[in-house]
Amino acid sequence: METVETHSANDRKAISCPVCGTGSLRLKFSRVVLGQHDADYCECETCGSLVVPNVDWLADAYGGDRVDPDTGTAQRSIICSLFIRAMRYVGLVPRGGRVLDFGAGNGLLVRLLRDQGFDAWGFDKHTTMTVCRNWQLDAMAGNEAGRVDMITAVEVFEHLVDPHDVLQSMVPALADDGAVLLRTTLYDGSQHDESWYYLEQAYGQHITFYSREGLRKLAERCGLQATFLPFGFHMLTPRSGKSAGGLRRACLFVLSGLLFSMARGIGLCDCSRSSIDKTMITQS
Ligand SMILES: [Zn+2]
């Protein structure tokens, strides 16, 4: 997610869990973010998600003079475009289907999807899609792309102050059998602690971390159901929409794994170099 706008108006002061909407928050640990802001990471007693309830540094985190920490965006866009291709093979998105990338950043995923024959569009209220600007939308619902077969949100939801409002805003844009495809790393309180890499406290942009139960409950609040797909993707669908049963998920695992392996064979889908670049940025 690439943003440069001042976010101070969107800082968060949450009393209850912004994921499930009802749970009480219990302090899990504290860290210093951006080298100067004290952050309390709290676990929801109902859904087990990890959230930073009080956030007052977003203007700093997204400030224009900060380096862009997202060195993995190109490789990740390639991985996502191949995964969506595999979803097409197993019938989870139609051939030539309409896809809307939420938080599209520079528009690379939109470009890659269009190159595969999808009718792809992007929405990002903070950034101009320099790679694919002709297919950037100004609004989600009632947009010129019409109702869409799939909305993608890749490495977006962990940035959100109010994930319910954002997910709810996507629902009217979805076709009846459409799906929201998320990629965000899930939180597991039995495994993750203050050393978890995904906190990314050096940048201060990750503030909401979903447990599996939390993502289920968030989906339910918006009339959707969550299905957990291979390779860290999550699909949210209307109850009457497409389902990804065990056989479909197994086929998706094999096909997307095959595509990733082929891409890796020619030097793509490999984030090791971007990780090295990220380390260099952190240390500079
Ligand atoms: Zn919760």
Side-chain angles (χ1 to χ4, degrees), residues 16-25 44-49 51 214 217:
S16 58
C17 174
V19 177
C20 68
T22 57
S24 301
L25 298 170
C44 172
E45 292 185 335
T46 299
C47 75
S49 297
V51 302
K217 286 184 177 294

Side-chain angles (χ1 to χ4, degrees), residues 99-104 110 120-124 129 132 135-138:
V99 181
L100 197 162
D101 188 27
F102 181 92
V110 175
W121 298 73
F123 174 74
D124 195 320
M129 286 169 38
C132 204
W135 287 273
Q136 180 160 7
L137 300 172
D138 295 328

